[in-house]
Amino acid sequence: MTGETDLSPARLRHARFAIAAVFCAHGAVTGSFATRIPWIQEHAQLSAGTLGLALAFPALGAALAMPLAGRVNHRFGARAALRALLALWTLSLILPSLAPNLPALCFALFVYGATSGMSDVAMNALGVETENRLGRSVMSSLHGMWSVGALLGSAAGTVAAHAGADARLHHLIAALALTAAGLVAVRGVLDLRSDQEAGAPPHFALPPKSALLIGAIGFCAVFAEGASLDWSAVYLRDVLDTNAGLAAASTTAFALTMAVARLAGDRVVDRFGAVRTVRAGGVLATAGGLIVVSVREPAAAMAGFGLIGLGIAVVVPLAFAAAARSGPAPAQAIAGVATITYTSGLIAPSAIGAVADATSLVVSFGLVTLLAFALVVGAAVLRQTPAAPGASAVNRDETAGIRP
């Protein structure tokens, strides 16, 4: 990557804060949407099964669009690509609440997923480049800022739901505010460009065999995250018969624990190592899932969702680091694992809806609990191995301080 020549410590610190703000804005869109899913379901007159079908369309949109993000970055440069893709994502928040029926909602969520996936790839790629130039790990804190954004968005959504506000107005105001904030933040990120002589990147990068198990661990964690974000409010409303405001607050509790755990994640991993951190997290997430499916008190269920968030928070950053040292092609491994994990998060809501329609939401979160337990069993795949010969500086930096 080439681009701006001012890489002074002050400039790099500014760039780090700017990309952190981008992550925060991206997360706020997700939080804003998740808390109003019950309103959208009722507005479009959908059952749990048809809602689950609609929530499959973000996964389809992302799967088709994510591979294009690399080419957009390559052609226009990291800053310009991120500016456009982030604005499309924040503005897409307006669409789902406008949908009056299932076909319209499916189309809206297809666009929502496509813009989410492309902007996600662009900001993570720029985050890695920023980390490389800083010479130390910042990805965990960047993901923490995404969770902070999801928390802020869900908190605002909780207030709006409690007040009985129309989600169309709520999402219009939120989308315009987040678009403005995102455009301001992007001005401070690094202005990097790919080497045009190297040729455009491939449309899709399959993960090497060495990264498949790592991707499976990331899949379990992100599935639990996506299911909890999109269905916790519906679970409290339909299973525990709570009001809309309290149901939306469950999403806020989940986002809060995710944010705290990710912001503190680097220190925990440095002290206990990747394997023990993920194994302990899996125990916490499993306990949280058992609480959710076994209790009938809203406060206890909210605590259960919080434990799920606490347990899975640091898994994805550690999966990326493990992928980087899993074989001779770190970049290909990271790209493949990212595709598996992020697609998992977009598939999870529809899968939960399909299981709920066939059985119940309690059974759906029993599945989430089983996947959380898989983190306990499979944590060893994140054990540190020697870095691949010729690994880049960023890949070496990603593994620094992580021990088994």
Side-chain angles (χ1 to χ4, degrees), residues 216-217 220-221 278 282 286 367-381:
I217 290 295
C220 293
V278 171
T286 302
L367 172 61
V368 172
T369 304
L370 289 175
L371 291 176
F373 184 71
L375 298 177
V376 181
V377 177
V381 304

Side-chain angles (χ1 to χ4, degrees), residues 15 20 23 59 70 84 97 101 130 163-164 167 183 216-217 219 221 225 228 259 267 282 300:
F23 271 75
S97 60
N101 51 44
T130 303
L183 291 175
I217 290 295
F219 180 97
E225 179 181 353
S228 298
R267 293 184 180 181

Side-chain angles (χ1 to χ4, degrees), residues 200-365:
H203 285 288
F204 184 80
L206 289 172
K209 293 180 180 179
S210 58
L212 289 178
L213 288 178
I214 298 170
I217 290 295
F219 180 97
C220 293
V222 177
F223 189 100
E225 179 181 353
S228 298
L229 273 175
D230 281 2
W231 283 96
S232 58
V234 178
Y235 188 94
L236 263 75
R237 186 196 65 183
D238 291 356
V239 177
L240 304 183
D241 196 27
T242 63
N243 60 54
L246 186 59
S250 67
T251 305
T252 303
F254 179 81
L256 175 61
T257 54
M258 288 282 290
V260 171
R262 281 176 169 167
L263 290 172
D266 288 331
R267 293 184 180 181
V268 174
V269 173
D270 285 343
R271 181 174 178 84
F272 298 105
V275 173
R276 281 183 286 179
T277 299
V278 171
R279 190 165 287 149
V283 170
L284 290 176
T286 302
L290 290 173
I291 291 172
V292 168
V293 301
S294 62
V295 304
R296 290 298 176 265
E297 292 294 328
M302 290 172 66
F305 283 117
L307 283 175
I308 294 174
L310 184 64
I312 65 176
V314 300
V315 175
V316 171
L318 291 179
F320 287 160
R325 54 180 190 268
S326 66
Q332 182 182 1
I334 292 172
V337 168
T339 300
I340 293 171
T341 56
Y342 292 136
T343 301
S344 168
L346 294 168
I347 289 173
S350 60
I352 292 297
V355 174
D357 197 45
T359 55
S360 70
L361 273 175
V362 175
V363 175
S364 294
F365 277 92

Side-chain angles (χ1 to χ4, degrees), residues 16-312:
R16 178 192 175 185
F17 291 137
I19 193 65
V22 168
F23 271 75
C24 186
H26 193 285
V29 176
T30 301
S32 299
F33 169 71
T35 52
R36 304 314 302 270
I37 287 177
W39 188 98
I40 293 170
Q41 179 185 13
E42 183 177 353
H43 177 67
Q45 299 181 349
L46 305 178
S47 67
T50 53
L51 176 62
L53 173 64
L55 290 173
F57 277 79
L60 178 60
L64 294 176
M66 283 173 69
L68 302 176
R71 287 181 168 252
V72 174
N73 266 7
H74 180 82
R75 179 168 183 177
F76 299 104
R79 182 189 289 173
L82 182 59
R83 180 186 298 116
L85 295 175
L86 183 65
L88 289 174
W89 161 238
T90 52
L91 291 173
S92 75
L93 176 62
I94 299 172
L95 299 179
S97 60
L98 296 177
N101 51 44
L102 178 63
L105 183 60
C106 290
F107 174 78
L109 291 178
F110 180 90
V111 176
Y112 177 87
T115 55
S116 172
M118 293 184 71
S119 57
D120 197 301
V121 170
M123 72 183 189
N124 273 282
L126 193 50
V128 169
E129 293 293 342
T130 303
E131 179 180 79
N132 186 27
R133 284 154 179 77
L134 280 167
R136 56 191 175 87
S137 177
V138 298
M139 288 300 291
S140 179
S141 64
L142 293 181
H143 282 261
M145 288 303 298
W146 186 95
S147 293
V148 169
L151 171 62
L152 294 174
S154 63
T158 299
V159 173
H162 185 73
D166 190 307
R168 291 168 292 191
L169 177 61
H170 164 212
H171 283 168
L172 174 62
I173 295 172
L176 294 177
L178 291 171
T179 300
L183 291 175
V184 171
V186 170
R187 293 175 60 185
V189 303
L190 294 177
D191 188 14
L192 303 176
R193 294 184 175 274
S194 301
D195 183 359
Q196 297 299 312
E197 296 181 359
H203 285 288
F204 184 80
L206 289 172
K209 293 180 180 179
S210 58
L212 289 178
L213 288 178
I214 298 170
I217 290 295
F219 180 97
C220 293
V222 177
F223 189 100
E225 179 181 353
S228 298
L229 273 175
D230 281 2
W231 283 96
S232 58
V234 178
Y235 188 94
L236 263 75
R237 186 196 65 183
D238 291 356
V239 177
L240 304 183
D241 196 27
T242 63
N243 60 54
L246 186 59
S250 67
T251 305
T252 303
F254 179 81
L256 175 61
T257 54
M258 288 282 290
V260 171
R262 281 176 169 167
L263 290 172
D266 288 331
R267 293 184 180 181
V268 174
V269 173
D270 285 343
R271 181 174 178 84
F272 298 105
V275 173
R276 281 183 286 179
T277 299
V278 171
R279 190 165 287 149
V283 170
L284 290 176
T286 302
L290 290 173
I291 291 172
V292 168
V293 301
S294 62
V295 304
R296 290 298 176 265
E297 292 294 328
M302 290 172 66
F305 283 117
L307 283 175
I308 294 174
L310 184 64
I312 65 176

